[in-house]
Structures are given as structure tokens and as C-alpha cells.
Amino acid sequence: MAFPNLPAILATRDLRRTELDSNPDTALLRIFAWMQLSRHADNRILDLFRQGLIRGTVTGGQGNEGLIVPLALLADKAIDVVSFTHRDLGGHLIWSGHLVDHLNQYFANAASPTLAREGNIHHGDPANRSFPMISHLGAMLSVVAGGTDSQRRQGKPAVGFAFFGDGSSSTGDVHETMNLAALLSLPVIFVIENNGYAYSTPTCEQFAAGTRLYQRAAGYGIESFALDCTTDIAHVARSLAEAIEKVRATSRPLLIEAQTLRLRGHAAYDTGDYLLPGESDGFHARDPLPKLRARLVASAGAARIEAIEAELNAFLEACVKIAHATPRPTPAGLEAGVFAAPGAPRPWQPEPAAPAPLNVAQALNLGLKKILTERPESLILGQDIGTYGGAFKVTEHLLKEFGRPRVFNTPLAESACTGYAIGLALNGHRPIEEFQFADFATEATTQITLNAATMHFRSGAACPLVLRLPCGGGLTFGSFHSQELESTFLSMPGLKGLYPSTPQDAFNALLAAYEDNNPVLLFEHKALYRRGRAPVGWDPDYRAVWQPRQVRTGDFATLVTYGEMVHFAEEAAEYFAGEYERTFDLFDLRALAPLRLDAIHASVARTGRLIVLHEGRRTHGFGAELVARLTEQNFAKLKAAPLRIASLDLPVPFAPELEHAFRPTKEKIVDAIAAWMG
Ligand SMILES: Cc1ncc(C[n+]2csc(CCOP(=O)(O)OP(=O)(O)O)c2C)c(N)n1
Ligand SMILES: [Mg+2]
């Protein structure tokens, strides 16, 4: 069905600063029309929700149009970067798409921008640098920062627009991102939509009385100002135009605290009974839309304004009718939508093996060097990875060779840095982020598991990201520097995981992870970094790391493991071959997600016995999934109950004696298998 033509007054989605001076009435009329459409659409969406035709929830932007409409008109939609919030329907309407596209999102129709996989206003247009919000407020600021930096790195004078509410201003991500943007000198305009409330919580319960939110910018070394968006829209537009021009020219971040309104409460279900008597009337009295209308009636005449309103209403109704008649989604392709297609292999240069054998840390360093040399879209970031070369020296010498823009230290802000990497990844870059220890990745849990991991499913955009996670214990590092977090992270859909155990596999895994179009967690066991050396070089079959490697063959049982435990398992298998004449099919899993178990199924079917070994904790551990899958398929062939060897269900204890008791060792593995055999 053809979408209705836009009314002539909406033909232009841009506003130039010069127009505000040379032709203010035309400029204001355009702003008015988009504000009016946004207001009516929000109100109509609320009606449809109340009729049960729209599900989920409806968080209207009524009262926010005085900010978002002039700003979206002024932005350069061809290069700028944005992530709209749940108050910004007007911004979405202007940035891209047709009103029907946006209504399809609310209706959760098959043709919705999120394919109906996400609801409400959680959509965007990543191809046009409008990044879809996740519910977790504050989380999108860093993504905008990354996308904006990506544009600048590609030579485009982009500005980023990152919105958040007075309530969201309390989240850690907001602070982390403003600090990061100031440090990296990113041209991002942070806009606080201060409407006085976060759901039912007034600002006096959000931050200490007497402070203004814009004043916080001084703490980050960035400029800021407050802007009343409820009174004089011409002034708002001029101020925003100047601010955008300045940020575009200086490439410095800026914070604007915009005074806005929340005319219809938090959401459709909000009873508003927490408001003071008369407070709601006061909001409506400050509504900028009737004021702007009165001004335009005075200059253009009532008939002209009424005609525009009638045309906008007819357009809205025609669009609602189409969206209402648009087909509903079906579950077809739902599971296939989790991951972006892997893409063709990169044209890596074949090269001779390194002249001397390398350990895992050196193999990773060689892989990073190869990527930085051959792939211009690559860059690496993390704490202390620059001059220092990383806590484990995996990035040694790379800063010197490739320079700061591509190899750089980050502040201690894992969440914002990961969001920033997501923004880079969404715009054509391929960042590799080193976490100093895997344990600190929990600081970025939302960004990793909810933002990056779900990106393709809900927006269709690829998010190619490598997150390097130095993990594992046995080194007396205690509870917070020793954990195995694969089952924590990989229980969330949308993440891939590789866990190499040899220098060549580490090199191959890095290349394979790099060229994948999805977020890949690269688990690097710290004890393996310097465990031993082996020849490392270009391997045309590097993508085989997505499959298990058969390390030994045998017939008594199938032993499945990964990481450092591969080496312990080899020693244990050697022992059983020598002492008991019992041999094992030993598999190094290598890829933890997606799991490719065909060869292991075949082995279990043949041996009839299964041992799963890993260093992570037993309960909810990765082995539970492995045993379940391998048993489900081979139950009739099993001669014994599967054996699961894992760490104790404890925080990783510190002292060597205690850590020894905590995690599998060669001796404990031998004992467990011997007892099981007996
Ligand atoms: C991190 C986080 N915590 C809680 C929520 C639940 N929640 C949704 S909207 C909202 C209020 C947000 O207030 P504010 O940032 O001022 O934005 P406003 O809704 O007023 O525009 C809350 C608490 C959330 N979405 N994200
Ligand atoms: Mg608010």
C-alpha cells in the first residue's frame, strides 16, 4: 500500500541558521508543523493504546517538542549521529522514515523497523546513524559518542546528539560518557531533557537541591548552558543552531540542560497522583505549542494555520489507517535473526611463520599487529594498552607502531568504553577492546549483553566487536581477577565466544573474531599467556577455530574441555593411557558460542562415556549445557552417567592452597576420573 504523500509544509526536514534571521516566519511555521504533527501523533498513539490496538506502553513526548523538533531540523541528517529517547517521537519523524514506518513500530507490525522484535519507541535507523535506544537509560550516550567519533575518523564533520532525562542524569553511564567525550574531544552535544520528573520522582529526590544539572559539565572540562524550551521557540532554535555550529567547528563536547515538560505524565498508565494540586495545570500553561501557534496566527493568519492543522490531521489519520491494516509479524526467521551473517573472509596477507616460536601473548600481539596493518577500519582500546602495552603486555609496541588514534588508553569506564566501541562498530569501524581482567567486564554487562548482543536482532544492524577478556585463575589473583565468566555472558543471546588454548589458535581466533559481524568474546586464559611457545603463522584454515579440535583419540570415553584445562586434560589422558591403558577422545571446544558439537556427538555415540571438564564453577557452569546437549542426543548410547569436573561453587579464594582446592588440577582430574571409572 502506498504511503500518503507528506503535506507540503513537511517537505523540508532541515532548518538553516540563516533562515531564522532572513525568513523567521517560514522557519517558525516549519517548526510549528513538525511540532504539531509530533504532538498529534503522540496523542493518537495514546488513543490507540487505550483502545488496545497498540501494546506495551506509550511514553509520549508531549511537552518535549519545543526542544526535539528544532534540534532535529537543525541537525545535519546526512552525517550527524543521534539516539533518541522515549520522549523524542518528533526527532524520529524528522530524522528519517515516513510516519507510517514509525506507526508500524508502535503497532509492532511485520514492517516495523525492528521487525516487531522491539516495541514502543525502541527503534532507530542505524543506516542513517540513528541508534535505537535500549530501555536502560544512559546507555546510549556512549554509543552516540562512538558513532560520532567514527564519522570524524572518516573525515566527516559530524556532531552527535545524546539525550537523557533528569532521572537518567543519575546513571553512571552519563558521567562515564561525558568524561570520555571530554578526554577524546568528541563533538557530542549532551542534552538533558529536564522535565522535572523521573516517573514519579521529582528532581529534588534525584540530586541535591541547589544544583543545576548543566553545572556538572564544569567537572568534566566541558562547556554548558541551560535552555528554556517552553517559552520562545525562536530563541530555542537560534541557541541550538549556534551550539551546533560551535561544536561542529571546535569538536568539543557540550552539555545543554533543556527545560522541557511532561504534559501527559510518565506513560499511558501513569495516574499522576504524586503531583501537587494544580501542578499539571501549571505544565499546560507553560506549553510552548499554543504560544507558537498564537504567534503564527498573528503573522500568517488564522486561516493559514487552521488549514495546515487540518492537512496534518488528515495525513495522520491516513497513516494510522495504513499502519492498522499492515500485516502482523510471524515467527519465521526469529532465531536466525539473532546473529548477523558471518560475511566473507577478509583478504588477509599470507605471510611466513614468525621466525621463532611464540607464546599465547606474543601470538595475540602478532595477530593484533596483522589486523592493524591490514585493516584500516580496526582500532584497539583498553586500559593501559598504550605505552605500557597492557597488563599482560599483549599490546606491547603497538602504540609506537600505529599511533594514538588507533591504539589508545581508556579511562576506567568499562561501560562507556564498550558503548563507545559499539557506536564505532555500528558505523563501519571494527574495534577491539581489551578488558584489563575479564572480571571487570561485569561493569559493562548492560552494554555487552543487552546493547551489543541484541543489536542485530532488534535493528538488523551488524555490531562487529571483539572484546578481549583475560580470564581464569591459578595465579593467586583472588576473587576479582580470576574468574571464568563464559557461562555468565554466553547465557545471553547474540554473543559469540572463542576460547583458544594454544598460540596458533589464539592467533587464528583473533582473526576469526575480528572479521565476524557480531560481538565476539575472546577468552584468554592468563596462565596460558606464557605457558609455552609454539610456531605461529598465517593459517589459511584459521576459521576452523569455530569448530572443536580433536586433541587425542581413544575409545574409552569422550573428554570435552577448553582453555587451560585442555593442557591438564592432556596430562590426565596421558596418565590413563600409561597406567590404565584407557584412552580418550579429547576435544578442545575452542568455540563456546555458537556450539558446534557434531564431531563430539559422534564421539560420544562411539565411546558411550562423557566427561566434561572446565575451570568455571559447577553450578550453572558451562558444563551443564554441554552435558545436557550431549546426553539428550546420545542417551541410549551411554554406558555410564556423564562426569562433570568443575570448580567449587565459591568466589575464587586467594591463597594458593585455597585456590588449589577450588579449581581443577591435574591430580584432581585424575582422581575424579579414576573414581568414576571405578
Ligand atoms: C537504568 C534504568 N533504570 C530504571 C528504568 C525504568 N524507568 C523508565 S523511564 C524512568 C524515568 C526516567 O526519567 P527521566 O530520565 O527523567 O526521563 P523522562 O521519562 O522524565 O523523560 C525509569 C525510572 C530505566 N528505564 N532505566
Ligand atoms: Mg524526567
Side-chain angles (χ1 to χ4, degrees):
M1 220 181 298
F3 291 178
N5 288 334
L6 253 61
I9 190 76
L10 302 182
T12 306
R13 296 174 184 226
D14 292 313
L15 182 64
R16 298 276 152 257
R17 187 186 174 182
T18 47
E19 280 182 89
L20 289 164
D21 300 323
S22 63
N23 211 343
D25 285 347
T26 312
L28 285 178
L29 205 58
R30 191 178 310 142
I31 295 174
F32 170 76
W34 283 103
M35 285 177 69
Q36 183 77 5
L37 179 71
S38 177
R39 175 71 60 90
H40 277 339
D42 261 329
N43 287 341
R44 193 70 175 87
I45 287 163
L46 186 57
D47 289 344
L48 292 162
F49 175 79
R50 289 187 170 146
Q51 290 165 30
L53 295 172
I54 281 177
R55 309 291 284 272
T57 188
V58 165
T59 49
Q62 298 96 332
N64 202 49
E65 305 94 338
L67 161 73
I68 203 67
V69 165
L71 192 147
L73 287 170
L74 287 161
D76 186 343
K77 272 77 69 186
I79 56 170
D80 289 347
V81 178
V82 74
S83 181
F84 292 115
T85 72
H86 54 295
R87 304 285 173 219
D88 297 342
L89 176 61
H92 279 293
L93 297 179
I94 293 166
W95 197 275
S96 62
H98 190 281
L99 176 57
V100 174
D101 297 316
H102 299 286
L103 290 171
N104 278 336
Q105 167 68 14
Y106 283 91
F107 275 99
N109 287 332
S112 95
T114 62
L115 302 179
R117 292 170 186 174
E118 247 302 325
N120 313 320
I121 193 168
H122 294 173
H123 65 301
D125 182 1
N128 285 303
R129 293 151 275 94
S130 166
F131 300 140
M133 70 176 285
I134 60 170
S135 285
H136 292 54
L137 295 169
M140 295 310 296
L141 273 66
S142 51
V143 183
V144 170
T148 310
D149 193 23
S150 173
Q151 285 289 83
R152 289 276 170 157
R153 286 168 183 265
Q154 294 173 39
K156 297 168 195 156
V159 170
F161 300 98
F163 302 97
F164 57 108
D166 44 283
S168 317
S169 74
S170 301
T171 64
D173 267 78
V174 168
H175 300 271
E176 287 191 10
T177 307
M178 287 207 279
N179 184 49
L180 184 67
L183 267 171
L184 301 182
S185 203
L186 303 178
V188 175
I189 303 187
F190 296 96
V191 185
I192 306 174
E193 298 172 337
N194 186 352
N195 52 27
Y197 279 93
Y199 203 154
S200 72
T201 304
T203 49
C204 64
E205 292 180 41
Q206 201 67 241
F207 46 88
T211 60
R212 292 291 306 272
L213 286 172
Y214 76 90
Q215 292 168 332
R216 291 185 184 177
Y220 306 107
I222 63 184
E223 288 185 14
S224 66
F225 62 88
L227 183 63
D228 177 4
C229 298
T230 68
T231 311
D232 179 356
I233 297 303
H235 170 70
V236 171
R238 277 199 193 89
S239 307
L240 290 174
E242 270 171 37
I244 294 169
E245 256 177 37
K246 184 168 177 188
V247 170
R248 207 178 292 289
T250 62
S251 186
R252 289 295 302 166
L254 173 75
L255 174 65
I256 302 175
E257 180 180 354
Q259 221 65 48
T260 64
L261 295 164
R262 210 189 57 180
L263 295 175
R264 303 296 294 258
H266 173 66
Y269 46 74
D270 182 5
T271 52
D273 41 16
Y274 50 86
L275 293 174
L276 303 170
E279 201 176 355
S280 180
D281 294 342
F283 294 156
H284 285 275
R286 289 168 60 207
D287 185 356
L289 194 50
K291 286 177 233 162
L292 181 57
R293 185 181 190 279
R295 177 174 172 169
L296 291 168
V297 165
S299 60
R304 171 95 168 103
I305 301 304
E306 282 163 17
I308 288 175
E309 286 169 337
E311 199 184 357
L312 291 173
N313 265 344
F315 172 66
L316 173 61
E317 286 314 312
C319 291
V320 168
K321 211 167 154 190
I322 290 179
H324 188 34
T326 299
R328 303 292 307 154
T330 69
L334 211 47
E335 285 178 285
V338 171
F339 289 115
R346 306 276 142 173
W348 300 110
Q349 295 299 313
E351 58 188 315
L358 304 181
N359 61 31
V360 166
Q362 293 166 326
L364 288 166
N365 182 269
L366 187 70
L368 289 169
K369 194 169 160 179
K370 181 175 180 66
I371 290 168
L372 287 165
T373 305
E374 297 180 26
R375 303 306 318 167
E377 75 283 350
S378 63
L379 52 95
I380 66 175
L381 64 153
Q383 288 159 24
D384 304 294
I385 67 151
T387 313
Y388 191 65
F392 301 97
K393 302 293 178 195
V394 171
T395 60
E396 211 167 24
H397 308 309
L398 297 178
L399 169 65
K400 212 165 163 196
E401 189 164 348
F402 298 97
R404 184 165 188 283
R406 297 186 66 206
V407 179
F408 54 100
N409 285 343
T410 58
L412 272 76
E414 284 81 0
S415 184
C417 292
T418 305
Y420 163 77
I422 292 172
L424 285 159
L426 288 172
N427 200 55
H429 278 92
R430 286 181 176 256
I432 302 175
E433 182 180 1
E434 173 174 314
F435 287 83
Q436 198 153 78
F437 287 79
D439 310 71
F440 301 116
T442 59
E443 294 288 286
T445 307
T446 299
Q447 295 291 2
I448 296 170
T449 66
L450 297 178
N451 213 350
T454 66
M455 186 64 76
H456 185 262
F457 184 71
R458 64 195 159 85
S459 78
C463 189
L465 201 59
V466 180
L467 303 176
R468 296 187 36 239
L469 300 166
C471 59
L475 300 166
T476 323
F477 284 165
S479 298
F480 312 112
H481 294 75
S482 307
Q483 293 180 95
E484 292 282 83
L485 292 174
E486 63 275 16
S487 63
T488 304
F489 282 112
L490 295 177
S491 64
M492 303 297 276
L495 294 171
K496 295 193 176 182
L498 288 169
Y499 200 151
S501 70
T502 68
Q504 183 66 52
D505 274 358
F507 180 84
N508 288 358
L510 191 57
L511 300 190
Y514 178 78
E515 65 181 20
D516 200 273
N517 288 328
N518 297 280
V520 183
L521 306 182
L522 186 60
F523 297 99
E524 302 171 4
H525 198 290
K526 299 185 291 288
L528 293 183
Y529 278 142
R530 290 178 174 76
R531 185 187 162 100
R533 291 167 194 255
V536 175
W538 164 247
D539 171 6
D541 202 19
Y542 63 100
R543 282 190 167 200
V545 292
W546 290 112
Q547 300 283 343
R549 172 175 69 101
Q550 183 154 7
V551 183
R552 293 174 72 100
T553 49
D555 50 28
F556 180 71
T558 303
L559 203 171
V560 186
T561 188
Y562 53 89
E564 193 191 16
M565 292 297 138
V566 172
H567 301 277
F568 293 5
E570 277 193 81
E571 290 168 17
E574 190 66 41
Y575 170 82
F576 282 107
E579 295 293 317
Y580 289 71
E581 291 185 0
R582 293 244 161 112
T583 56
F584 300 94
D585 264 358
L586 171 58
F587 288 93
D588 175 357
L589 209 49
R590 302 199 290 193
L592 307 189
L595 277 171
R596 303 269 184 250
L597 297 179
D598 289 354
I600 303 177
H601 279 302
S603 167
V604 173
R606 188 171 61 75
T607 65
R609 295 186 186 87
L610 171 65
I611 303 165
V612 168
L613 161 67
H614 60 66
E615 180 179 339
R617 287 174 273 257
R618 179 182 174 88
T619 300
H620 303 298
F622 202 74
E625 182 64 28
L626 289 173
V627 169
R629 289 198 189 201
L630 292 165
T631 307
E632 274 166 359
Q633 193 166 319
N634 304 291
F635 187 71
K637 310 253 174 54
L638 287 181
K639 300 171 193 155
L643 173 65
R644 193 154 49 119
I645 307 172
S647 285
L648 301 179
D649 291 327
L650 294 173
V652 185
F654 178 72
E657 300 83 345
L658 305 184
E659 193 178 16
H660 190 79
F662 163 75
R663 60 179 217 131
T665 58
K666 182 201 151 190
E667 293 70 31
K668 285 199 273 176
I669 294 164
V670 166
D671 288 350
I673 296 175
W676 177 71
M677 290 189 329

